[in-house]
């Protein structure tokens, strides 16, 4: 919070929540990019169809479908085996993925399917490779996983948008008309709070404990004991104490 103007009859303070804007827009951009990736580039389901034109030849087509319905086709020839790749996360969580081996490269199926489902798919593929079957069709689906993942991303997106559009607060004390005006301006709209100076009982500093530190905000306490934050978002103690001291000096409290 800063003093932007001080005269004999007028005192104006402005609070610009730069930290909230920066962190909000950064998280918003990351979440939006991730959401686009999930919708456009991540596979919601796959379909593997194979035929055996001759005893020693296998031709397959792997189709990837995203949540928007777009499809990507991959051709595979001469399948050798299918195995389950296990990935262990930093906290010990495990995910499983069927890998299909060919002489040219390995092809991956979905990465968020249960071990049992992957086991069934790997068994069917290996059984087809080692038997005389003439056709194979296997499918995998992780639409539920992507649905809840995208839902969670949308919630974080909304929260980050809220912080990214935090209002600028302009608090102006007028001795000439004996009033205080608190204006809050943001993309979400504008709000003006107005009170006579004689309705003010005192000014308080409220503190809040965050993860590694305490942050503060200035509050106008009316004679009705209603509390009106000058800066709705908490900030550093030094700027708040300085702002309160300047208000006291201006109003001769």
């Amino acid at each position: 919070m800063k003093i932007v103007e001080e005269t004999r009859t007028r005192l104006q303070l402005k609070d610009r929540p730069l930290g909230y804007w920066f962190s909000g827009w950064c998280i918003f951009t990351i979440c939006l990019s991730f959401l686009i990736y999930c919708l456009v580039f991540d596979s919601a389901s796959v379909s593997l169809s194979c035929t055996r034109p001759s005893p020693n030849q296998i031709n397959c087509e792997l189709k990837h479908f995203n949540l928007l319905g777009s499809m990507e086709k991959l051709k595979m020839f001469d399948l050798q085996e299918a195995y389950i790749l296990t990935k262990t996360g930093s906290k010990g969580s495990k995910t499983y993925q069927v890998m299909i081996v060919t002489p040219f490269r390995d092809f991956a199926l979905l990465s968020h399917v249960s071990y049992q489902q992957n086991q069934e798919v790997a068994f069917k593929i290996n059984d087809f490779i080692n038997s005389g079957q003439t056709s194979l069709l296997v499918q995998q689906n992780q639409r539920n996983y992507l649905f809840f993942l995208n839902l969670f991303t949308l919630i974080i997106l909304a929260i980050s948008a809220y912080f990214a559009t935090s209002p600028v607060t302009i608090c102006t004390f007028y001795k000439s008309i004996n009033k205080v005006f608190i204006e809050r301006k943001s993309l979400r709209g504008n709000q003006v709070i107005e009170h006579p100076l004689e309705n003010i009982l005192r000014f308080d500093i409220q503190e809040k404990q965050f993860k590694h530190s305490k942050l503060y905000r200035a509050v106008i306490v009316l004679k009705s004991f209603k509390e009106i934050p000058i800066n709705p978002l908490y900030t550093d103690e030094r700027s708040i104490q300085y702002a309160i001291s300047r208000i006291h000096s201006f109003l001769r409290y």
Side-chain angles (χ1 to χ4, degrees):
M1 181 180 293
K2 292 184 178 180
I3 309 295
V4 294
E5 184 180 350
E6 184 174 4
T7 66
R8 187 175 59 86
T9 60
R10 170 178 164 144
L11 174 66
Q12 187 174 84
L13 305 90
K14 179 181 282 189
D15 179 57
R16 300 171 71 233
L18 299 176
Y20 287 90
W21 290 349
F22 178 77
S23 58
W25 283 117
C26 284
I27 296 172
F28 183 88
T29 302
I30 293 171
C31 288
L32 183 60
S33 301
F34 180 74
L35 186 63
I36 292 172
Y37 171 81
C38 288
L39 291 174
V40 178
F41 300 104
D42 206 357
S43 297
S45 62
V46 295
S47 174
L48 174 68
S49 57
C50 299
T51 59
R52 195 190 301 268
S54 64
N56 298 322
Q57 184 180 0
I58 297 176
N59 299 332
C60 296
E61 186 176 70
L62 180 62
K63 297 179 181 179
H64 288 264
F65 300 89
N66 64 20
L67 285 174
L68 299 179
S70 297
M71 179 182 65
E72 178 189 9
K73 292 182 181 180
L74 296 172
K75 297 290 186 180
M76 294 188 291
F77 304 97
D78 300 329
L79 274 62
Q80 296 181 344
E81 68 166 325
Y83 68 93
I84 298 176
L85 176 66
T86 302
K87 298 179 181 179
T88 304
S90 58
K91 295 184 178 181
S93 60
K94 293 183 179 181
T95 58
Y96 309 94
Q97 190 172 25
V98 173
M99 303 294 296
I100 302 174
V101 180
T102 72
F104 308 101
R105 54 169 285 199
D106 292 355
F107 293 84
L109 300 189
L110 299 183
S111 57
H112 291 91
V113 178
S114 69
Y115 181 81
Q116 290 77 14
Q117 290 175 305
N118 280 319
Q119 196 175 36
E120 290 176 9
V121 169
F123 175 80
K124 288 180 180 179
I125 294 172
N126 286 325
D127 185 54
F128 172 78
I129 294 171
N130 298 320
S131 68
Q133 299 176 36
T134 58
S135 64
L136 171 71
L137 176 63
V138 293
Q139 296 176 323
Q140 282 188 328
N141 190 316
Q142 61 180 17
R143 290 182 182 274
N144 288 340
Y145 165 80
L146 289 180
F147 172 79
F148 287 108
L149 180 63
N150 290 340
L151 181 61
F152 176 77
T153 304
L154 284 172
I155 293 172
I156 300 300
L157 199 65
I159 295 172
S160 63
Y162 177 83
F163 283 103
T165 57
S166 297
V168 174
T169 298
I170 301 173
C171 180
T172 310
F173 294 88
Y174 293 96
K175 282 184 178 179
S176 57
I177 59 175
N178 197 36
K179 286 188 176 182
V180 57
F181 291 88
I182 299 176
E183 302 174 77
R184 307 200 198 281
K185 301 179 179 180
S186 73
L187 295 175
R188 304 195 298 267
N190 299 330
Q191 180 189 28
V192 178
I193 302 170
E194 173 186 347
H195 283 283
L197 293 180
E198 61 263 23
N199 283 358
I200 298 175
L201 177 64
R202 65 177 186 271
F203 296 91
D204 283 348
I205 297 177
Q206 294 180 342
E207 67 177 43
K208 190 172 184 179
Q209 180 68 50
F210 288 84
K211 195 170 185 180
H212 299 295
S213 63
K214 290 182 180 180
L215 295 178
Y216 303 82
R217 70 177 182 181
V219 175
I220 298 174
V221 181
L222 302 178
K223 290 179 179 178
S224 63
F225 297 104
K226 180 181 178 181
E227 297 181 346
I228 304 173
I230 297 177
N231 56 310
L233 301 176
Y234 290 80
T235 184
D236 64 287
E237 183 180 15
R238 184 176 179 181
S239 65
I240 296 301
Q241 287 182 338
Y242 178 74
I244 291 295
S245 69
R246 295 311 306 152
I247 294 171
H248 283 164
S249 177
F250 176 77
L251 297 176
R252 298 290 191 272
Y253 269 55

